[in-house]
Amino acid sequence: QQPVQSPQAVILREGEDAVINCSSSKALYSVHWYRQKHGEAPVFLMILLKGGEQKGHDKISASFNEKKQQSSLYLTASQLSYSGTYFCGTGGDNYGQNFVFGPGTRLSVLP
Amino acid sequence: NAGVTQTPKFRILKIGQSMTLQCTQDMNHNYMYWYRQDPGMGLKLIYYSVGAGITDKGEVPNGYNVSRSTTEDFPLRLELAAPSQTSVYFCASSYGTDPLAYYEQYFGPGTRLTVT
């Protein structure tokens, strides 16, 4: 089942912060975050696993609440290069078959 | 490393025609995936493969077929193209060791397909 992302879209000024949320109705083992710029392929940002393990970019942080089946991506002091669509992908224990991407959150950072 | 490469970049098909989308990766990844992305939407998994000779259906497999004879290549076949298959198709790959979900997917540049 596809995770839900909120907000659908957000507009920021350079230097402002944003939070993008991802929630699922099923128990999660992992949450992945990707960013896609217009006309390009998605690019990896973060992975968070049940149990607290995570990896990703130094300048981006995220959280994973296993009990609530929710994850949040925190973008602080946003830069123009942060503009794009952010997708979360969620999976249960059967990684390949159950991995599903959310509908995306469109982020626009203005000068 | 070239990473994940896809050909062609663009293609226009007539209804009922068939074609194969090519995908190759040079990272020795054992997992490979095919996604479709409709305009303004997220990525939907069509098929995936855990290694040469092993494939499985994803969320939207109807109208597509795959094969995986080598670690590097994972072609996607469209039979009897329909307008509903107009989309951007992305191939991706990842490592596949335990825990599988710890490894990020690397995406190719995509193939933009229009069926008219």
Side-chain angles (χ1 to χ4, degrees):
Chain A
Q1 186 154 355
Q2 187 180 47
V4 176
Q5 288 187 236
S6 63
Q8 288 185 320
V10 59
I11 300 174
L12 299 174
R13 293 282 180 187
E14 247 185 316
E16 292 181 338
D17 302 338
V19 180
I20 300 173
N21 301 301
C22 174
S23 63
S24 175
S25 60
K26 63 177 186 180
L28 298 179
Y29 178 76
S30 67
V31 179
H32 292 208
W33 286 96
Y34 290 80
R35 177 171 60 213
Q36 183 179 33
K37 293 186 179 289
H38 182 69
E40 298 181 6
V43 174
F44 165 72
L45 294 176
M46 293 283 295
I47 287 176
L48 304 103
L49 295 184
K50 185 177 178 180
E53 199 167 7
Q54 60 177 261
K55 67 174 182 179
H57 286 245
D58 293 339
K59 295 184 179 180
I60 293 176
S61 64
S63 64
F64 181 19
N65 186 323
E66 298 165 27
K67 290 183 179 179
K68 293 186 177 181
Q69 291 130 219
Q70 294 175 346
S71 177
S72 295
L73 186 70
Y74 304 98
L75 304 169
T76 57
S78 57
Q79 305 171 15
L80 295 176
S81 61
Y82 286 9
S83 292
T85 301
Y86 290 75
F87 294 99
C88 70
T90 59
D93 290 343
N94 187 348
Y95 172 64
Q97 193 168 36
N98 295 333
F99 189 78
V100 181
F101 278 99
T105 293
R106 187 184 300 270
L107 177 74
S108 301
V109 181
L110 305 178
Chain B
N1 284 352
V4 180
T5 57
Q6 293 182 238
T7 57
K9 289 185 179 180
F10 303 93
R11 183 71 186 268
I12 298 175
L13 280 183
K14 292 190 183 299
I15 295 172
Q17 286 185 323
S18 300
M19 75 165 294
T20 299
L21 281 65
Q22 302 291 343
C23 174
T24 300
Q25 53 93 8
D26 63 358
M27 297 174 282
N28 202 31
H29 287 169
N30 53 333
Y31 266 66
M32 294 188 74
Y33 315 82
W34 274 106
Y35 293 93
R36 61 175 286 172
Q37 185 177 35
D38 297 334
M41 305 293 284
L43 297 144
K44 291 192 181 296
L45 183 64
I46 305 171
Y47 271 96
Y48 70 101
S49 169
V50 305
I54 307 170
T55 62
D56 206 350
K57 297 177 181 179
E59 187 182 357
V60 289
N62 291 344
Y64 307 94
N65 278 300
V66 294
S67 60
R68 183 117 179 254
S69 57
T70 67
T71 300
E72 296 78 20
D73 301 308
F74 190 39
L76 177 72
R77 178 82 177 162
L78 278 73
E79 304 282 0
L80 298 175
S84 61
Q85 292 179 305
T86 293
S87 190
V88 179
Y89 291 84
F90 288 102
C91 177
S93 71
S94 71
Y95 284 111
T97 58
D98 186 38
L100 301 172
Y102 191 63
Y103 296 95
E104 64 270 33
Q105 296 182 30
Y106 293 80
F107 285 81
T111 294
R112 187 175 298 274
L113 176 68
T114 302
V115 182
T116 61

